[in-house]
Amino acid sequence: MTRPLRMTRPTAPAGPRGSRLRPVPRTLRARLIAGLLVLLVVTCAAVGFATTAALRHFLVDRLDQQLAEAGGRYAASLEHTGQGGGPDTRAQTPGTLGVRLLGGRVTAAGVVDGDADDTDGPDDEDDRISFTPAQQRALAALPVGGPARTLDLGEAQGHYRVRAVAGRDGDVLVSGLPLRPAEETVRRLEGLELTVFAIAVAAAGTAGALWVGWSLRPLRRVVGMAERVSAMPLASGEVLLAERVPDDDPRTEVGRVGAALNRMLGHVGDALARRHAVEERLRGFAADASHELRTPVATVRGHAELALRHPGEVPAPVRHSLERIDAEAVRMGAIVEDLLLLARLDAGRPLAEEDVDLTRIALNAVADARAAGPDHRWRLALPEDPVVVRGDEHRLSQAAANLLANARTHTPPGTGIELRLERERVGGQVELSVTDDGPGIAPELLERVFERFVRGDRARSRATGSTGLGLAIVRAVVRAHGGTVDAASRPGRTVFTVRLPQGSPEREP
């Protein structure tokens, strides 16, 4: 009997999850098309295997039926040479095998080759066939009167379906029919199925890709709307969420998602509108309060100074109180001015636009800081050529002064502080940084260092004059000039970095 070949699949080397050897489609469209093609290929393969197996079984059954109907006539003609063998030979199908065995040994064997000389009988040289010892043992092992079996007769004859019956003289007569016509028919069917199935899979893949793409158009619209909303700046300012998903049919899954997303956008839009209204009220209140407080603060300060200039003798406790009133009035005036500046910057008040020499601002800022903090070690690093940007000179000077004042106020005497100004080679920006080798900023405070009224030491005396608004003003001024500011700190090194565009600034809303 023939043994089917065992096809072994090469084992792929083990690799980590998500190996590049087996890429997995990521998009929903690709997964749907891949799933459709896989199902179609599996279905075609199952249909092909079923039809070829059924056809093979049908053809083999027909051969077995022909063997049962023919019996051992052709093999019997081999036993009685020349006694009516011709007619028996003419009645057989070309390729019919006849074998006579006696005592387990082949005494005669022949094959009908379909030539005209088949009428002469099985003694014709063309009709004779020889067997190897193994084939003779396989023929002798056939059960007499049993079902037909498949026998391999070598490359010359191929596979045969053979059946053994008992002869009249105590011998065994074996008849066989070739399997080659049936195998060729099955192979032709397999080739036809491969061609038809390949065309069907290609056509189904193309049509499926078009259909899936058309079906996913609503989902693509949802994705596009979500991407547009995600690109909108929602952190501050007035935000108009006018984007809505056009597909909100509750009868479809995408429609339900679109309807839910539209409701969510409506809620978010309402929340942002309320937040903006609250911010506007707070800004208006801060601006109005700061503006209204300027006059009373100036009045209090003026009366304190007038009292201190009294020509008569003023008791020491009264003089001390007047001096404290004057000092706190000065401090309150600074807070009012800072709050008013922040309110104006938050409201988007336009700043002056002119060519500003940052090099001169850096020189003046370090000179003023050295005078205010002679116990610190001051350093200045400037490029050879002047650095010029577009902006408001007064506000940029205030930002540089605030950075240096912050470094001086929150570091002990003897700390080294450096102001560095340079042009970035990538991005076309100007970088101004203030670095100190002081104790650094606590990690929990570093995230809020640019917020208003944030102080590094809540318990320290307010006699230093710090209002907690210096770095907030720095961030507001830098953003108004279209730049960015960030801070990095660790024990022994704290850096505040300001980056400004060299061209015309693009102010944030």
Coordinates of all heavy atoms in Angstrom, one line a residue, residues 431-489:
E431 N 17.7 81.7 23.6 CA 17.6 81.0 24.9 C 18.3 81.9 26.0 O 19.5 82.2 25.9 CB 18.2 79.6 24.9 CG 18.1 78.9 26.2 CD 18.7 77.5 26.2 OE1 18.1 76.7 25.4 OE2 19.7 77.2 26.8
L432 N 17.6 82.2 27.0 CA 18.1 83.0 28.2 C 17.9 82.1 29.4 O 16.7 81.7 29.7 CB 17.4 84.3 28.3 CG 17.9 85.2 29.4 CD1 17.7 86.7 29.0 CD2 17.1 85.0 30.8
S433 N 19.0 81.8 30.1 CA 18.9 80.9 31.2 C 19.5 81.5 32.4 O 20.5 82.2 32.3 CB 19.5 79.5 30.9 OG 20.9 79.7 30.6
V434 N 19.0 81.2 33.6 CA 19.5 81.6 34.9 C 19.8 80.3 35.7 O 18.8 79.6 36.0 CB 18.6 82.5 35.7 CG1 19.1 82.9 37.0 CG2 18.3 83.8 34.9
T435 N 21.1 80.1 36.1 CA 21.5 78.9 36.8 C 22.1 79.3 38.1 O 22.9 80.2 38.1 CB 22.5 78.1 35.9 OG1 21.9 77.9 34.6 CG2 22.8 76.8 36.5
D436 N 21.8 78.5 39.1 CA 22.4 78.7 40.4 C 22.8 77.4 41.0 O 22.2 76.4 40.7 CB 21.5 79.5 41.4 CG 20.3 78.7 41.8 OD1 20.4 77.8 42.6 OD2 19.2 79.1 41.3
D437 N 23.8 77.4 41.9 CA 24.3 76.2 42.6 C 23.8 76.1 44.0 O 24.5 75.6 44.9 CB 25.8 76.0 42.5 CG 26.5 77.3 43.0 OD1 25.8 78.2 43.6 OD2 27.7 77.4 42.9
G438 N 22.6 76.6 44.2 CA 22.0 76.6 45.6 C 21.4 75.3 46.0 O 21.6 74.2 45.3
P439 N 20.6 75.3 47.0 CA 20.0 74.0 47.5 C 19.0 73.4 46.6 O 18.7 72.2 46.8 CB 19.4 74.4 48.9 CG 19.1 75.9 48.7 CD 20.2 76.4 47.9
G440 N 18.5 74.1 45.7 CA 17.5 73.5 44.8 C 16.1 73.7 45.2 O 15.8 74.2 46.3
I441 N 15.1 73.3 44.4 CA 13.7 73.4 44.7 C 13.1 72.0 45.0 O 13.4 71.0 44.3 CB 13.0 74.0 43.5 CG1 13.6 75.4 43.1 CG2 11.5 74.2 43.7 CD1 13.0 76.0 41.8
A442 N 12.2 71.9 46.0 CA 11.6 70.7 46.3 C 10.8 70.1 45.1 O 10.2 70.9 44.4 CB 10.7 70.8 47.5
P443 N 10.8 68.8 44.9 CA 10.1 68.2 43.7 C 8.6 68.6 43.8 O 8.0 68.8 42.7 CB 10.4 66.7 43.9 CG 11.6 66.6 44.7 CD 11.6 67.8 45.6
E444 N 8.0 68.5 44.9 CA 6.6 68.8 45.0 C 6.3 70.3 44.7 O 5.1 70.6 44.3 CB 6.0 68.4 46.3 CG 6.5 69.2 47.5 CD 7.8 68.6 48.1 OE1 8.3 67.7 47.4 OE2 8.2 69.1 49.1
L445 N 7.2 71.1 44.8 CA 7.0 72.6 44.6 C 7.4 72.9 43.1 O 6.9 73.9 42.6 CB 7.9 73.4 45.5 CG 7.8 74.9 45.4 CD1 6.4 75.4 45.8 CD2 8.8 75.6 46.3
L446 N 8.3 72.1 42.5 CA 8.8 72.4 41.2 C 7.6 72.4 40.1 O 7.7 73.2 39.2 CB 9.8 71.4 40.8 CG 10.6 71.7 39.5 CD1 11.3 73.0 39.5 CD2 11.6 70.5 39.1
E447 N 6.6 71.6 40.3 CA 5.5 71.5 39.4 C 4.6 72.8 39.4 O 4.0 73.1 38.5 CB 4.7 70.3 39.6 CG 5.4 69.0 39.5 CD 4.6 67.8 39.8 OE1 3.4 68.0 40.2 OE2 5.1 66.6 39.7
R448 N 4.6 73.5 40.6 CA 3.8 74.6 40.8 C 4.5 75.9 40.9 O 4.0 77.0 41.3 CB 2.9 74.5 42.0 CG 2.1 73.2 42.0 CD 1.2 73.1 43.2 NE 1.9 73.2 44.5 CZ 1.8 74.2 45.3 NH1 1.1 75.3 45.0 NH2 2.5 74.2 46.5
V449 N 5.8 75.9 40.5 CA 6.7 77.1 40.8 C 6.3 78.3 40.0 O 6.5 79.4 40.4 CB 8.2 76.7 40.5 CG1 8.4 76.6 39.0 CG2 9.1 77.7 41.1
F450 N 5.6 78.1 38.9 CA 5.1 79.3 38.1 C 3.7 79.7 38.4 O 3.2 80.6 37.7 CB 5.2 79.0 36.6 CG 6.7 78.8 36.1 CD1 7.2 77.6 35.8 CD2 7.5 80.0 35.9 CE1 8.5 77.5 35.4 CE2 8.8 79.8 35.5 CZ 9.3 78.6 35.2
E451 N 3.1 79.1 39.4 CA 1.7 79.6 39.8 C 1.8 80.8 40.7 O 2.9 81.1 41.2 CB 1.0 78.4 40.5 CG 0.8 77.2 39.6 CD 0.1 76.1 40.4 OE1 -0.3 76.3 41.5 OE2 -0.1 75.0 39.8
R452 N 0.7 81.5 40.8 CA 0.7 82.7 41.6 C 0.7 82.4 43.1 O 0.0 81.5 43.5 CB -0.6 83.5 41.2 CG -0.6 83.9 39.7 CD -1.8 84.6 39.3 NE -1.8 84.7 37.8 CZ -2.8 85.4 37.2 NH1 -3.8 85.9 37.8 NH2 -2.7 85.5 35.8
F453 N 1.3 83.3 43.8 CA 1.4 83.2 45.3 C 2.0 81.9 45.8 O 1.7 81.4 46.9 CB 0.0 83.4 45.9 CG -0.6 84.8 45.6 CD1 -1.6 84.8 44.7 CD2 0.0 85.9 46.1 CE1 -2.2 86.1 44.4 CE2 -0.6 87.2 45.8 CZ -1.7 87.2 44.9
V454 N 2.9 81.3 45.0 CA 3.6 80.1 45.4 C 5.0 80.5 46.0 O 5.7 81.2 45.3 CB 3.8 79.1 44.3 CG1 4.7 77.9 44.7 CG2 2.5 78.6 43.8
R455 N 5.2 80.1 47.2 CA 6.5 80.5 47.9 C 7.2 79.2 48.3 O 6.6 78.2 48.7 CB 6.2 81.4 49.1 CG 5.6 82.7 48.8 CD 5.4 83.5 50.0 NE 4.9 84.9 49.7 CZ 3.6 85.1 49.7 NH1 2.7 84.2 49.9 NH2 3.2 86.4 49.4
G456 N 8.6 79.3 48.2 CA 9.4 78.2 48.6 C 9.4 77.9 50.1 O 9.5 76.8 50.5
D457 N 9.2 78.9 50.9 CA 9.2 78.7 52.4 C 8.1 79.5 52.9 O 8.1 80.7 53.0 CB 10.6 79.3 53.0 CG 10.7 78.9 54.4 OD1 9.7 78.3 55.0 OD2 11.7 79.3 55.0
R458 N 7.0 78.8 53.3 CA 5.8 79.4 53.8 C 6.0 80.1 55.2 O 5.3 81.0 55.5 CB 4.7 78.4 54.0 CG 4.3 77.8 52.6 CD 3.2 76.7 52.9 NE 2.8 76.1 51.6 CZ 1.9 76.6 50.8 NH1 1.2 77.7 51.1 NH2 1.6 75.9 49.7
A459 N 7.0 79.6 55.9 CA 7.2 80.2 57.3 C 8.2 81.3 57.3 O 8.4 81.9 58.3 CB 7.7 79.0 58.2
R460 N 8.8 81.7 56.2 CA 9.9 82.7 56.2 C 9.3 84.1 56.4 O 8.1 84.3 56.1 CB 10.7 82.6 54.9 CG 10.0 83.0 53.7 CD 10.9 82.9 52.5 NE 10.1 83.1 51.2 CZ 9.8 84.2 50.7 NH1 10.1 85.3 51.4 NH2 9.1 84.3 49.6
S461 N 10.1 85.0 56.8 CA 9.6 86.3 57.0 C 9.3 87.0 55.7 O 9.9 86.8 54.7 CB 10.7 87.2 57.7 OG 10.3 88.5 57.8
R462 N 8.2 87.8 55.7 CA 7.9 88.5 54.5 C 8.6 89.9 54.3 O 8.3 90.7 53.5 CB 6.3 88.8 54.5 CG 5.6 87.5 54.5 CD 4.1 87.8 54.3 NE 3.4 86.5 54.3 CZ 2.5 86.1 53.4 NH1 2.3 86.8 52.4 NH2 1.9 85.0 53.6
A463 N 9.6 90.1 55.2 CA 10.3 91.3 55.1 C 11.2 91.3 53.9 O 11.7 92.4 53.5 CB 11.2 91.4 56.4
T464 N 11.4 90.2 53.2 CA 12.2 90.1 52.0 C 11.5 90.9 50.9 O 12.2 91.2 49.9 CB 12.5 88.7 51.6 OG1 11.2 88.0 51.4 CG2 13.3 88.0 52.7
G465 N 10.2 91.0 51.0 CA 9.5 91.7 49.9 C 9.0 90.8 48.9 O 8.4 91.3 47.9
S466 N 9.1 89.5 49.0 CA 8.6 88.6 48.0 C 7.1 88.5 48.0 O 6.5 88.4 49.1 CB 9.2 87.2 48.2 OG 8.7 86.3 47.3
T467 N 6.5 88.6 46.9 CA 5.0 88.5 46.8 C 4.5 87.2 46.3 O 3.3 86.9 46.3 CB 4.5 89.6 45.8 OG1 5.0 89.4 44.5 CG2 4.9 91.0 46.3
G468 N 5.4 86.3 45.8 CA 5.0 85.0 45.2 C 4.4 85.2 43.8 O 3.8 84.3 43.3
L469 N 4.6 86.4 43.2 CA 4.1 86.6 41.8 C 5.2 86.8 40.8 O 4.9 87.0 39.6 CB 3.2 87.9 41.8 CG 2.0 87.9 42.7 CD1 1.3 89.2 42.7 CD2 1.0 86.8 42.2
G470 N 6.5 86.8 41.2 CA 7.6 87.1 40.3 C 7.6 86.1 39.2 O 7.7 86.4 38.0
L471 N 7.6 84.7 39.5 CA 7.7 83.7 38.4 C 6.4 83.7 37.6 O 6.5 83.3 36.4 CB 8.1 82.4 39.0 CG 9.4 82.3 39.7 CD1 9.7 80.9 40.2 CD2 10.5 82.6 38.7
A472 N 5.3 83.9 38.2 CA 4.0 84.0 37.4 C 4.1 85.1 36.4 O 3.6 84.9 35.2 CB 2.9 84.2 38.4
I473 N 4.7 86.2 36.8 CA 4.8 87.3 35.8 C 5.8 86.9 34.7 O 5.6 87.2 33.5 CB 5.3 88.6 36.5 CG1 4.2 89.1 37.4 CG2 5.8 89.7 35.5 CD1 4.6 90.3 38.3
V474 N 6.9 86.2 35.0 CA 7.8 85.7 34.0 C 7.1 84.9 33.0 O 7.3 85.1 31.8 CB 9.0 85.0 34.7 CG1 9.8 84.3 33.6 CG2 9.8 85.9 35.5
R475 N 6.3 83.9 33.5 CA 5.6 83.0 32.5 C 4.6 83.8 31.7 O 4.5 83.5 30.5 CB 4.9 81.9 33.3 CG 4.2 80.9 32.4 CD 3.6 79.7 33.1 NE 2.5 80.2 34.0 CZ 1.8 79.3 34.7 NH1 2.0 78.0 34.6 NH2 0.8 79.8 35.5
A476 N 3.9 84.7 32.3 CA 2.9 85.5 31.5 C 3.6 86.3 30.4 O 3.1 86.4 29.3 CB 2.1 86.4 32.5
V477 N 4.7 87.0 30.8 CA 5.4 87.8 29.8 C 6.0 87.0 28.7 O 5.9 87.3 27.5 CB 6.5 88.6 30.6 CG1 7.4 89.3 29.5 CG2 5.9 89.7 31.5
V478 N 6.6 85.8 29.1 CA 7.2 85.0 28.0 C 6.1 84.5 27.1 O 6.3 84.4 25.9 CB 8.0 83.9 28.7 CG1 8.5 82.8 27.7 CG2 9.2 84.4 29.4
R479 N 5.0 84.0 27.6 CA 3.9 83.5 26.8 C 3.4 84.6 25.9 O 3.0 84.3 24.7 CB 2.8 82.9 27.6 CG 3.2 81.5 28.2 CD 2.0 81.0 29.0 NE 2.2 79.6 29.4 CZ 1.4 78.9 30.1 NH1 0.2 79.4 30.4 NH2 1.7 77.6 30.5
A480 N 3.3 85.8 26.4 CA 2.8 86.9 25.6 C 3.7 87.2 24.4 O 3.3 87.8 23.4 CB 2.6 88.2 26.5
H481 N 5.0 86.8 24.5 CA 5.9 87.0 23.5 C 6.1 85.7 22.6 O 7.0 85.7 21.7 CB 7.3 87.4 24.0 CG 7.4 88.8 24.5 ND1 6.9 89.2 25.7 CD2 7.9 89.9 23.9 CE1 7.2 90.5 25.8 NE2 7.7 91.0 24.7
G482 N 5.2 84.8 22.8 CA 5.2 83.6 22.0 C 6.3 82.6 22.4 O 6.7 81.8 21.5
G483 N 6.9 82.7 23.6 CA 7.9 81.8 24.0 C 7.5 80.8 25.1 O 6.3 80.7 25.4
T484 N 8.5 80.1 25.6 CA 8.2 79.1 26.7 C 9.2 79.3 27.8 O 10.4 79.8 27.6 CB 8.3 77.7 26.1 OG1 9.7 77.5 25.6 CG2 7.3 77.4 25.0
V485 N 8.9 78.9 29.0 CA 9.8 78.9 30.1 C 9.6 77.7 30.9 O 8.5 77.2 31.1 CB 9.5 80.2 31.0 CG1 8.1 80.2 31.5 CG2 10.5 80.2 32.2
D486 N 10.6 77.1 31.4 CA 10.6 75.9 32.2 C 11.7 75.9 33.2 O 12.6 76.7 33.1 CB 10.7 74.6 31.3 CG 12.0 74.6 30.5 OD1 13.0 74.4 31.0 OD2 11.9 74.9 29.2
A487 N 11.5 75.0 34.2 CA 12.5 75.0 35.3 C 12.9 73.5 35.5 O 12.1 72.6 35.4 CB 11.9 75.5 36.6
A488 N 14.2 73.3 35.9 CA 14.7 72.0 36.3 C 15.6 72.2 37.5 O 16.4 73.2 37.5 CB 15.5 71.4 35.1
S489 N 15.5 71.3 38.5 CA 16.2 71.6 39.7 C 16.6 70.3 40.4 O 15.9 69.3 40.3 CB 15.3 72.4 40.7 OG 16.0 72.6 41.9

